[in-house]
Amino acid sequence: MSGDQLRRLKELEKESERRRRAVSDLTLDKQILKEAAGGTFQAPAPPPLHRSCLRPARDLGAPACRVLGQHRSTQRRIPRGRADEERLVADMIELARQSGRY
């Protein structure tokens, strides 16, 4: 073997040793953490719900209405049709007449 090859071999052996130490350190850390955890990990229990959170969903709009001094029904969305809805219905009827069954 030439001198360059020997130097390269020594470098590779040093790198290999450094990596072996790193892997063994990580393995040791993992082992310590497993022992410290003592088995399975359980999340803490959630805090109990307050009574106001347990009321029916239909009453959820009431507090905001009380603050505004308005009745609950004033806050409901009124369904509105599209501006071109009559034309669309007429087109659908015409298509139904042309094709018969669909």
Side-chain angles (χ1 to χ4, degrees), residues 20-94:
R20 270 193 223 114
R21 270 188 260 128
V23 169
S24 67
D25 289 346
L26 290 174
T27 304
L28 181 61
D29 290 346
K30 183 178 173 183
Q31 211 171 17
I32 290 170
L33 289 173
K34 272 187 178 179
E35 288 176 10
T40 60
F41 176 75
Q42 293 183 355
L49 293 175
H50 191 270
R51 281 184 186 237
S52 65
C53 297
L54 300 175
R55 66 176 180 235
R58 62 181 164 76
D59 291 339
L60 292 179
C65 296
R66 265 188 246 129
V67 170
L68 296 173
Q70 298 175 344
H71 190 266
R72 245 179 34 196
S73 64
T74 61
Q75 301 301 315
R76 295 200 174 120
R77 185 175 85 72
I78 299 170
R80 286 183 259 156
R82 294 175 47 157
D84 60 346
E85 187 169 2
E86 290 178 18
R87 187 177 56 82
L88 290 171
V89 170
D91 287 346
M92 288 186 335
I93 291 172
E94 183 59 33

